[in-house]
Amino acid sequence: TLLDVGAGAGDLLVGAERLAIANPALEYVAVEAAPTAQLMARVAAARDAGRVAPKSRIVASIEDAPEPCDAIILANVCHAMGHERLAETLAAALRRLRPSADSRCVVHEVEILRRGERSFVMWTPDDHRAAFAEIPAVTVEERAYRRTIGVPIHTTVLRYDGTRSLPADLGAELRAGFERLLPTKLHDLLKKREALGAEVEGEPQRLSRALHQRQYAFVSEQCTNVLVILHERRLVELRGSHGPPN
């Protein structure tokens, strides 16, 4: 079973078919609260043509997904979840993952979003490793993939082989883990923004300047989003739109 969380238009299914991963024995399950016509058409076409298993379908939430799953994919969706929802989603995913050395939950994110979005926070493989630091039942690995075009990507692989039990309150533990990371993440983002600002001022090439400006705006927006989260939890005081955090 392949679980596609936040399936969007069904691009993962199309990719699986192109790579000949899809087959009549593969149960493809898309998780999408508001499925598009394109997603519904792609799933129906693949199922009717026998390219995936007859049980392949779309469900509204991860709680409705079958278990166990051999692979769970979250492609370019985690940044759009608040860290609390992300923690609960990862906990639900890991509970549905088949306990096996061959099973995996894959979190995939680009380094820069193609279009601006609000309230996003990009969690890197190092962030996931730190968030899971006190959960030894789960192994966290970083995967690097070369790309000839586009922006860099971050891929995190979560494994659960069943040799240790998952905590009963896994969601709460992950939520606390992500919250512990927020002050350090803000510090690192501010340093990165400062470095990018210097590069923007000194870069003579137009295309490179445009990319650096995009990165600068992207990192700046993340700084604001993390500050808001910290302020909501009374972990930092906002002194104004241009003032430093207290």
Side-chain angles (χ1 to χ4, degrees), residues 33-193:
T36 64
Q38 187 175 27
L39 174 63
M40 291 187 286
R42 283 175 166 175
V43 173
R47 185 178 56 223
D48 294 345
R51 296 193 296 269
V52 292
K55 287 186 177 182
S56 297
R57 60 198 183 278
I58 303 170
V59 297
S61 76
I62 195 169
E63 301 298 337
D64 300 323
E67 52 182 295
C69 297
D70 301 287
I72 301 174
I73 312 296
L74 298 94
N76 298 328
V77 295
C78 291
H79 66 269
M81 303 180 186
H83 72 281
E84 294 178 338
R85 182 182 165 207
L86 174 58
E88 294 301 329
T89 299
L90 290 177
L94 288 166
R95 294 197 184 285
R96 281 161 176 75
L97 192 64
R98 186 186 304 278
S100 167
D102 297 324
S103 301
R104 63 206 64 188
C105 176
V106 179
V107 177
H108 171 84
E109 291 280 3
V110 295
E111 188 176 273
I112 304 175
L113 295 173
R114 182 177 301 175
R115 293 178 296 274
E117 297 181 21
R118 296 190 174 211
S119 303
F120 67 89
V121 177
M122 305 299 286
W123 300 99
T124 67
D126 284 341
D127 293 331
H128 285 285
R129 192 174 289 112
F132 279 93
E134 297 183 14
I135 306 173
V138 179
T139 302
V140 182
E141 303 172 4
E142 179 178 0
R143 294 292 177 86
Y145 297 99
R146 294 174 60 90
R147 298 189 73 186
T148 56
I149 58 174
V151 298
I153 57 178
H154 296 302
T155 300
T156 305
V157 178
L158 306 176
R159 295 178 181 271
Y160 170 58
D161 62 10
T163 55
R164 300 189 185 187
S165 298
L166 292 171
D169 56 349
L170 177 58
E173 288 196 25
L174 281 176
R175 185 165 60 250
F178 283 120
E179 286 189 358
R180 284 194 300 270
L181 289 172
L182 288 170
T184 300
K185 192 163 188 66
L186 176 60
H187 177 266
D188 292 343
L189 284 168
L190 288 170
K191 288 180 62 178
K192 186 173 182 179
R193 186 178 67 172

